[in-house]
Amino acid sequence: STQRAIDTGLAQPPFELELKTRDGRIVWARVNEAPVVQHGKTIAIVGSLTDITDSKLAQLTSHQSETSYRGLFNSVNEGVYIQGKDGRFLDVNRGAVRMYGYPREYLIGRKPEDIAAPGKNDMAKVYDKLAKAFDGQPQQFEFWGVRRNGEVFPKDVRISKGIYYGQEVVIALATDITERKKVETHLTD
């Protein structure tokens, strides 16, 4: 960047620099440089360093937190759905992707009725339970979904209020109970 400023005689965009202090600490600085041009020739570079260590550490910590959160979120075998007040999925984990067979990008922005087995759920009751969960009353219910391949399946859903990136949400934890239903049906036959 300094050489470019010398060569072109133009100020260059600021850049970040990692530095090591005498006592071995790492600090970060934002560097601003501007050439001093006289008679068309660069005769000096005027620069300033701004200590951005605190903001850089906060950025790195935030990235590490996001990485840890994402790892935990996706390590859960059950389907986890983060829902806004309107019921839309703000995020889903790998368990939800495996459960339905749709990519994560497809599920985000959808509502429960978009993945519901037609005619198998009382959606008014589902949204009533969602509202109660937002009021701080955890809920549990069965929900019939339909996989990408068209297979209808039952799941046990537990929802409770939570915070997601500073926003009030409902966190739904869903377990596929297909096998349990088969056993129950077999026992009652």
Side-chain angles (χ1 to χ4, degrees), residues 99 142-145 147 151-156 175-185:
M99 189 177 288
E142 283 188 11
F143 183 89
W144 288 85
R147 300 187 210 280
E151 179 187 348
V152 171
F153 71 101
K155 62 183 187 174
D156 179 66
T175 306
D176 185 331
I177 57 171
T178 302
E179 293 307 312
R180 187 176 89 195
K181 285 287 191 185
K182 286 179 184 174
V183 170
E184 286 173 4
T185 303

Side-chain angles (χ1 to χ4, degrees), residues 61-154:
T61 300
S62 174
H63 175 71
Q64 289 169 345
S65 293
E66 169 65 19
T67 302
S68 295
Y69 153 75
R70 185 67 44 199
L72 286 170
F73 186 60
N74 282 317
S75 71
V76 177
N77 284 330
E78 290 83 3
V80 181
Y81 308 81
I82 309 295
Q83 293 176 264
K85 286 205 182 244
D86 64 354
R88 288 188 193 283
F89 303 125
L90 303 175
D91 203 353
V92 299
N93 75 340
R94 285 189 194 128
V97 167
R98 281 190 303 272
M99 189 177 288
Y100 278 92
Y102 288 107
R104 178 176 173 265
E105 296 73 26
Y106 174 85
L107 293 169
I108 291 175
R110 304 268 182 216
K111 290 185 170 185
E113 59 266 29
D114 297 325
I115 57 172
K120 298 278 276 181
N121 301 290
D122 182 337
M123 294 312 295
K125 282 186 181 174
V126 169
Y127 279 95
D128 181 55
K129 289 182 181 294
L130 188 71
K132 286 179 180 173
F134 266 107
D135 285 339
Q137 303 168 46
Q139 302 290 307
Q140 184 169 0
F141 56 96
E142 283 188 11
F143 183 89
W144 288 85
V146 61
R147 300 187 210 280
R148 186 177 186 177
N149 67 9
E151 179 187 348
V152 171
F153 71 101

